[in-house]
Amino acid sequence: MVYEEKMILNGDPDEEEEEEEEEEDMVDPLDTVREKCEQTAHCVHARERLEACENRVASRSTEEDCTEELFDFLHARDHCVAHKVFHSVK
């Protein structure tokens, strides 16, 4: 009798497990589109420039940073994403 009362008050523990499993299967379509866009030629070129800058900055002590290269890469990726993401959204 006590177990039944706990089930009524707390709900069925099996339902919670099923909800957690369903949540794990969900994938953010934005992340998927971003990954695909990062493979395009323009984004690959921008990423190469960013990585070259990061390697250059890491190899010597300088006040230079790679902000411009980072923004170029993010702009190229987001430009691609903007054209594709709404096809994935219901």
Side-chain angles (χ1 to χ4, degrees), residues 25-39 77 80-81 84-85 88:
D25 295 337
M26 295 178 65
V27 177
D28 187 1
L30 181 60
D31 292 337
T32 305
V33 173
R34 279 183 176 163
E35 289 173 6
K36 289 179 182 176
C37 284
E38 288 178 7
Q39 306 304 316
R77 186 190 65 186
C80 173
V81 168
K84 296 180 180 181
V85 74
S88 302

Side-chain angles (χ1 to χ4, degrees), residues 3-16:
Y3 178 73
E4 291 174 1
E5 289 178 280
K6 286 183 181 179
M7 277 185 47
I8 292 172
L9 296 176
N10 296 331
D12 189 6
D14 293 332
E15 287 179 21
E16 290 178 18

